Amino acid sequence: AARPDLAGRHVVVSAGGTREPLDPVRFLGNRSSGKQGYALARTAAARGARVTLVAANTGLPDLAGVDVVQVGTAVQLREAVLKAASDADAVVMAAAVADFRPATYATGKIKKKDGQEPEAIVLVRNPDILAEISADRPRPGQVVVGFAAETDDVLANGRTKLARKGCDLLVVNEVGERRTFGSEENEAVVLGADGSEIPVPYGPKEALAETVWDLVVPRLG
Ligand code: PMT
């Protein structure tokens, strides 16, 4: 049975993967299904929180009792998360946000030209939403949680990323082509800025979500 230990709290969760458009028919994207973020939103609502879920291209059905904001790109995700974060007690960034976007958007479909090599795609940096929220804390004292998808040196890369982003907790999961992204299960280590390291064994994404809230609750002011 769920404990109402998030009652009276507002939490913001991001889910899914951003799509960075190249032209009207193409985008740069990633394999996030949004399932981990939805599991975080569902479990927070069950624990009594008011939940804002910022969802990027998940195709998942809305959750009862959760305020869902649909976005497409990293820039849109940033705007929606910052808006909701202004009165949030906790922000959890489970979305896979593109670090770069195409420098230009072609308003007409990009065509191949006979006998010519393809043109290179020039990228520019997207804003780092997690780093920005960690540094600015739109609401003083709010707890900020990041996720990190790593393919190797998972713990070492996680520690470096936690320090660089400045969040309170970083959930590090190892990803592979058929692992974590899109699956029903996950396995992770939750790193704390206080040096803590909580392993979460392979299991349903809901179980990892519950552990995240278990670690957020005692950090709330
Ligand atoms: O959606 P599922 O299929 O269920 O899969 C879940 C998941 C693998 C997507 C999820 O568990 C996960 O690991 N999400 C973060 C993936 C990721 O993009 O990690 P990253 O190392 O690129 O980014 C680190 C953190 O910074 C993340 O919290 C990300 O939201 C944030 N970030 C990244 C780039 C950027 N420009 N702005 C950000 O805020």
Side-chain angles (χ1 to χ4, degrees):
R3 300 168 298 268
D5 54 1
L6 287 170
R9 304 291 190 174
H10 178 210
V11 305
V12 178
V13 176
S14 69
T18 66
R19 289 180 178 179
E20 310 298 324
L22 277 159
D23 71 14
V25 298
R26 305 182 181 96
F27 58 82
L28 301 181
N30 63 70
R31 298 177 191 275
S32 172
S33 64
K35 286 175 187 169
Q36 185 62 67
Y38 272 61
L40 283 154
R42 203 178 303 116
T43 49
R47 291 166 77 145
R50 176 162 78 83
V51 183
T52 304
L53 174 62
V54 180
N57 310 296
T58 67
L60 296 173
D62 283 357
L63 296 172
V66 170
D67 188 9
V68 184
V69 184
Q70 304 282 353
V71 297
T73 66
V75 167
Q76 291 166 355
L77 190 132
R78 173 179 174 274
E79 235 165 77
V81 168
L82 285 183
K83 185 165 174 239
S86 64
D87 71 345
D89 297 282
V91 179
V92 181
M93 288 288 295
V97 182
D99 289 311
F100 306 100
R101 66 176 181 273
T104 55
Y105 173 75
T107 52
K109 185 182 171 192
I110 300 166
K111 294 274 200 303
K112 55 180 177 294
K113 299 181 192 87
D114 277 345
Q116 279 182 28
E117 289 301 308
E119 268 178 56
I121 297 170
V122 179
L123 301 176
V124 295
R125 215 172 249 292
N126 267 330
D128 189 326
I129 305 154
L130 178 61
E132 185 178 347
I133 287 183
S134 298
D136 296 352
R137 308 282 164 152
R139 174 172 168 167
Q142 72 188 174
V143 178
V144 182
V145 183
F147 270 68
E150 301 289 344
T151 54
D152 38 37
D153 294 331
V154 171
L155 281 182
N157 286 334
R159 272 284 158 215
T160 308
K161 197 167 275 189
L162 175 69
R164 182 158 48 79
K165 300 266 186 176
C167 48
D168 302 301
L169 295 166
L170 187 77
V171 184
V172 189
N173 41 206
E174 192 171 340
V175 297
E177 206 144 303
R178 268 173 295 274
R179 219 167 140 206
T180 302
F181 278 94
S183 68
E184 302 301 325
E185 285 85 28
N186 205 350
E187 179 185 354
V189 179
V190 187
L191 303 179
D194 55 7
S196 61
E197 198 171 302
I198 312 287
V200 183
Y202 188 78
K205 284 179 174 172
E206 255 75 20
L208 174 57
E210 296 284 13
T211 302
V212 169
W213 298 124
D214 289 346
L215 294 168
V216 166
V217 166
R219 288 172 166 83
L220 294 169

